[in-house]
Amino acid sequence: DGGITQSPKYLFRKEGQNVTLSCEQNLNHDAMYWYRQDPGQGLRLIYYSQIVNDFQKGDIAEGYSVSREKKESFPLTVTSAQKNPTAFYLCATSYDFPGRNEQFFGPGTRLTVL
Amino acid sequence: AQKITQTQPGMFVQEKEAVTLDCTYDTSDPSYGLFWYKQPSSGEMIFLIYQGSYDQQNATEGRYSLNFQKARKSANLVISASQLGDSAMYFCAMRVTNTGNQFYFGTGTSLTVIP
């Protein structure tokens, strides 16, 4: 099946720990994105990547890091520098050219800091 | 700067009635796309409908239609014959060609369908 997988679905972290959220896609999309969503809020862009080995900061990149070593994978690390990491994290992909190229979303990871 | 504004935090509609969810956008780029997504309580994001800035006709997808008024920079979503399963958050988004194809999202509208 084609799609986007995110793991784990739920993640609990102690303060001061780094955690890595996985995002894998087999849609052959060039662009991949990470969003953060807080309760009752919209999506805020953390990082995005349009090509392997390249990525750009979004609006709220502080305290997060990413890598794009393979086209299929775009893991997000939430570092201890992120002050309030409890949120719902969504990974998305799209073709990287204009037109009717909507973003496809993964099922999300709910991160809770204990 | 690119911006999407959704001014209705919450909306209620009677089952089988139509409802309009508002969305205004701001960009100086002539080439852009507008998208609507639905997010049920499960958290998944479901693509509903797309409108390109050069499209002459309003987009329609089943019970969803997009009322595109380019001069007013609005892209309102119309849901006809509302169903209980339409209760969800709805997000308007914009993709601007000359900003690296980054997507910009509004803050969303929570729709509740009343039986």
Side-chain angles (χ1 to χ4, degrees), chain A residues 33 35 37 41-42 45 48 50 88 90 94-103 105, chain B residues 35 37 39 41-43 45 47 50 61 91 95 97 99-103 105-107:
Chain A
Y33 310 77
Y35 293 94
Q37 186 178 27
Q41 301 295 315
L45 182 65
Y48 67 105
Q50 295 174 277
F88 185 52
L90 284 161
S94 73
Y95 286 114
D96 190 34
F97 51 84
R100 189 202 182 280
N101 293 313
E102 71 269 26
Q103 285 185 322
F105 285 83
Chain B
F35 304 80
Y37 287 85
Q39 187 181 41
S41 57
S42 59
M45 293 284 282
F47 166 72
Y50 164 82
E61 293 280 354
F91 291 97
R95 185 180 195 179
T97 304
T99 62
N101 288 313
Q102 184 176 338
F103 284 75
F105 282 83
T107 52

Side-chain angles (χ1 to χ4, degrees), chain A residues 9-24:
Chain A
K9 187 173 183 179
Y10 298 96
L11 185 58
F12 298 89
R13 182 193 105 173
K14 292 183 180 179
E15 281 193 35
Q17 287 182 335
N18 292 356
V19 289
T20 297
L21 282 58
S22 169
C23 178
E24 303 280 333

